Amino acid sequence: GEDVEQSLFLSVREGDSSVINCTYTDSSSTYLYWYKQEPGAGLQLLTYIFSNMDMKQDQRLTVLLNKKDKHLSLRIADTQTGDSAIYFCAESISSAAGNKLTFGGGTRVLVKP
Amino acid sequence: GAVVSQHPSWVICKSGTSVKIECRSLDFQATTMFWYRQFPKQSLMLMATSNEGSKATYEQGVEKDKFLINHASLTLSTLTVTSAHPEDSSFYICSARDPGLQQAFFGQGTRLTVV
């Protein structure tokens, strides 16, 4: 079945690292994504990882994937106030209509100065 | 990344009227587009998958006669909310898959308010 879960809220001080966690249940997912949503806006793709990788780094972003535990995390180094937003993890699953994304509930990140 | 444009960004309409939302992929051809609905402080709920030149595939519980989807070209999909009611008020977001990148890019979203 498809179920993606995230913690609801994360508060972090500016300059510290943020770690957002996500768990999923479908072991057949091919790609896993992290999206950022600012108030009243659409989703911005931050990064993604292929399911046969266990780590991907992209500037301040580090994605860790533990496929055995079906656990995905996003680490943001040197968190800035502009990083305050809702972060969604999503898994890509093949379906009869093509690949579709299943989203977690989103983690609201608040960066305090 | 690729650009997906959604229009309008917000719309207010009267109960009983229909509203059309457009989703365009500006710099790539999208054979597949997706329509989502997002309630306040909640995640995105997939409504339907739209494939160019064929009928949309609707998720369970989504009324296909109420939410009409047309994907007439490789760069445009439309969602029409027919006979809108206040409970249809929501944030609607489209995404388009760039087959060359194997990624889906999202529009800015449309906030629909039915009064």
Side-chain angles (χ1 to χ4, degrees), chain A residues 2 31 33 35 37 40-45 48 86 88 92 95 97-106 108, chain B residues 32 34 36 38 41-44 46 49 51 57 59 91 93 95 97 101-109 111:
Chain A
E2 309 163 4
Y31 287 89
Y33 300 86
Y35 287 89
Q37 185 180 36
L43 271 67
Q44 173 195 356
L45 176 65
Y48 65 96
I86 301 176
F88 292 96
S92 177
S95 69
N99 292 337
K100 64 177 185 178
L101 294 177
T102 299
F103 287 86
R108 185 177 296 272
Chain B
T32 305
F34 303 88
Y36 295 85
Q38 186 180 31
K41 298 185 180 180
Q42 292 190 28
S43 187
L44 280 73
L46 180 64
T49 302
N51 292 298
T57 302
E59 295 298 300
F91 194 55
I93 307 177
S95 77
R97 180 175 296 280
L101 297 178
Q102 283 297 311
Q103 294 173 21
F105 295 91
F106 286 78
Q108 311 94 310
R111 183 161 301 284

Side-chain angles (χ1 to χ4, degrees), chain A residues 4-7 10 18-24 32-35 46-49 53-58 60-67 69-77 87-90 107:
Chain A
V4 181
E5 295 189 356
Q6 301 175 236
S7 52
L10 175 68
S18 311
V19 178
I20 308 167
N21 294 301
C22 173
T23 58
Y24 60 98
L32 294 124
Y33 300 86
W34 283 103
Y35 287 89
L46 287 178
T47 187
Y48 65 96
I49 188 167
M53 297 170 63
D54 52 21
M55 188 183 91
K56 180 178 180 181
Q57 187 156 1
D58 184 1
R60 293 192 296 125
L61 305 178
T62 303
V63 179
L64 295 178
L65 174 61
N66 182 327
K67 198 170 182 181
D69 294 339
K70 299 189 184 68
H71 181 266
L72 181 74
S73 69
L74 174 69
R75 177 177 180 270
I76 306 173
Y87 291 80
F88 292 96
C89 66
T107 300

Side-chain angles (χ1 to χ4, degrees), chain B residues 48-62:
Chain B
T49 302
S50 165
N51 292 298
E52 186 266 338
S54 64
K55 289 184 179 180
T57 302
Y58 289 81
E59 295 298 300
Q60 194 171 5
V62 178

